PDB file of all heavy atoms in Angstrom:
ATOM      1  N   GLY A  56       3.829 -32.256 -54.605  1.00 91.00           N
ATOM      2  CA  GLY A  56       5.216 -31.910 -54.329  1.00 91.00           C
ATOM      3  C   GLY A  56       5.383 -30.782 -53.343  1.00 91.00           C
ATOM      4  O   GLY A  56       4.445 -30.396 -52.630  1.00 91.00           O
ATOM      5  N   ARG A  57       6.597 -30.256 -53.315  1.00 92.00           N
ATOM      6  CA  ARG A  57       6.981 -29.201 -52.368  1.00 92.00           C
ATOM      7  C   ARG A  57       7.635 -28.071 -53.147  1.00 92.00           C
ATOM      8  O   ARG A  57       8.635 -28.278 -53.837  1.00 92.00           O
ATOM      9  CB  ARG A  57       7.966 -29.767 -51.339  1.00 92.00           C
ATOM     10  CG  ARG A  57       8.408 -28.816 -50.257  1.00 92.00           C
ATOM     11  CD  ARG A  57       9.548 -29.405 -49.431  1.00 92.00           C
ATOM     12  NE  ARG A  57       9.241 -30.724 -48.893  1.00 92.00           N
ATOM     13  CZ  ARG A  57       9.828 -31.843 -49.299  1.00 92.00           C
ATOM     14  NH1 ARG A  57      10.753 -31.806 -50.239  1.00 92.00           N
ATOM     15  NH2 ARG A  57       9.504 -33.002 -48.756  1.00 92.00           N
ATOM     16  N   ARG A 114       8.396 -18.042 -48.852  1.00 93.00           N
ATOM     17  CA  ARG A 114       9.470 -17.952 -47.861  1.00 93.00           C
ATOM     18  C   ARG A 114      10.306 -16.696 -48.103  1.00 93.00           C
ATOM     19  O   ARG A 114      10.217 -16.061 -49.155  1.00 93.00           O
ATOM     20  CB  ARG A 114      10.375 -19.183 -47.927  1.00 93.00           C
ATOM     21  CG  ARG A 114       9.738 -20.430 -47.354  1.00 93.00           C
ATOM     22  CD  ARG A 114      10.764 -21.527 -47.192  1.00 93.00           C
ATOM     23  NE  ARG A 114      10.304 -22.567 -46.296  1.00 93.00           N
ATOM     24  CZ  ARG A 114      11.032 -23.598 -45.921  1.00 93.00           C
ATOM     25  NH1 ARG A 114      12.272 -23.736 -46.376  1.00 93.00           N
ATOM     26  NH2 ARG A 114      10.565 -24.510 -45.085  1.00 93.00           N
ATOM     27  N   VAL A 118      16.522 -20.644 -50.652  1.00 85.00           N
ATOM     28  CA  VAL A 118      17.548 -21.394 -49.941  1.00 85.00           C
ATOM     29  C   VAL A 118      18.014 -20.494 -48.792  1.00 85.00           C
ATOM     30  O   VAL A 118      18.520 -19.399 -49.037  1.00 85.00           O
ATOM     31  CB  VAL A 118      18.751 -21.746 -50.840  1.00 85.00           C
ATOM     32  CG1 VAL A 118      19.819 -22.461 -50.023  1.00 85.00           C
ATOM     33  CG2 VAL A 118      18.325 -22.621 -52.003  1.00 85.00           C
ATOM     34  N   PHE A 166      31.677 -37.445 -54.881  1.00 97.00           N
ATOM     35  CA  PHE A 166      32.786 -37.646 -55.803  1.00 97.00           C
ATOM     36  C   PHE A 166      34.046 -37.973 -54.995  1.00 97.00           C
ATOM     37  O   PHE A 166      34.221 -37.490 -53.868  1.00 97.00           O
ATOM     38  CB  PHE A 166      33.038 -36.375 -56.627  1.00 97.00           C
ATOM     39  CG  PHE A 166      31.996 -36.104 -57.680  1.00 97.00           C
ATOM     40  CD1 PHE A 166      31.047 -35.112 -57.479  1.00 97.00           C
ATOM     41  CD2 PHE A 166      31.968 -36.826 -58.863  1.00 97.00           C
ATOM     42  CE1 PHE A 166      30.083 -34.847 -58.443  1.00 97.00           C
ATOM     43  CE2 PHE A 166      31.006 -36.569 -59.832  1.00 97.00           C
ATOM     44  CZ  PHE A 166      30.058 -35.575 -59.616  1.00 97.00           C
ATOM     45  N   ARG A 205      21.878 -25.034 -54.551  1.00 90.00           N
ATOM     46  CA  ARG A 205      22.781 -24.594 -53.488  1.00 90.00           C
ATOM     47  C   ARG A 205      24.162 -24.245 -54.044  1.00 90.00           C
ATOM     48  O   ARG A 205      24.753 -23.231 -53.667  1.00 90.00           O
ATOM     49  CB  ARG A 205      22.896 -25.679 -52.408  1.00 90.00           C
ATOM     50  CG  ARG A 205      21.689 -25.742 -51.488  1.00 90.00           C
ATOM     51  CD  ARG A 205      21.788 -26.901 -50.506  1.00 90.00           C
ATOM     52  NE  ARG A 205      21.474 -28.178 -51.132  1.00 90.00           N
ATOM     53  CZ  ARG A 205      21.465 -29.350 -50.487  1.00 90.00           C
ATOM     54  NH1 ARG A 205      21.793 -29.406 -49.212  1.00 90.00           N
ATOM     55  NH2 ARG A 205      21.140 -30.459 -51.118  1.00 90.00           N
ATOM     56  N   ARG A 236      25.232 -40.630 -68.498  1.00 95.00           N
ATOM     57  CA  ARG A 236      24.673 -41.900 -68.964  1.00 95.00           C
ATOM     58  C   ARG A 236      24.219 -41.796 -70.403  1.00 95.00           C
ATOM     59  O   ARG A 236      24.442 -42.716 -71.203  1.00 95.00           O
ATOM     60  CB  ARG A 236      23.503 -42.313 -68.061  1.00 95.00           C
ATOM     61  CG  ARG A 236      23.941 -42.789 -66.675  1.00 95.00           C
ATOM     62  CD  ARG A 236      22.749 -43.030 -65.765  1.00 95.00           C
ATOM     63  NE  ARG A 236      23.153 -43.579 -64.471  1.00 95.00           N
ATOM     64  CZ  ARG A 236      22.332 -43.729 -63.431  1.00 95.00           C
ATOM     65  NH1 ARG A 236      21.048 -43.380 -63.540  1.00 95.00           N
ATOM     66  NH2 ARG A 236      22.774 -44.234 -62.302  1.00 95.00           N
ATOM     67  N   ALA A 272      27.446 -52.014 -39.783  1.00 96.00           N
ATOM     68  CA  ALA A 272      27.464 -52.804 -41.017  1.00 96.00           C
ATOM     69  C   ALA A 272      27.395 -51.887 -42.231  1.00 96.00           C
ATOM     70  O   ALA A 272      26.860 -50.777 -42.172  1.00 96.00           O
ATOM     71  CB  ALA A 272      26.292 -53.777 -41.026  1.00 96.00           C
ATOM     72  N   ALA A 294      19.016 -55.752 -40.487  1.00 97.00           N
ATOM     73  CA  ALA A 294      19.087 -56.501 -39.227  1.00 97.00           C
ATOM     74  C   ALA A 294      18.709 -55.611 -38.045  1.00 97.00           C
ATOM     75  O   ALA A 294      17.960 -56.028 -37.140  1.00 97.00           O
ATOM     76  CB  ALA A 294      20.489 -57.074 -39.031  1.00 97.00           C
ATOM     77  N   SER A 335      29.451 -36.217 -36.549  1.00 43.00           N
ATOM     78  CA  SER A 335      30.455 -35.386 -35.890  1.00 43.00           C
ATOM     79  C   SER A 335      30.180 -35.221 -34.408  1.00 43.00           C
ATOM     80  O   SER A 335      31.029 -34.785 -33.651  1.00 43.00           O
ATOM     81  CB  SER A 335      30.515 -34.007 -36.555  1.00 43.00           C
ATOM     82  OG  SER A 335      29.331 -33.280 -36.305  1.00 43.00           O
TER      83      SER A 335
END
Side-chain angles (χ1 to χ4, degrees):
R57 183 189 307 111
R114 287 191 163 184
V118 177
F166 287 104
R205 283 175 283 181
R236 288 173 176 171
S335 68

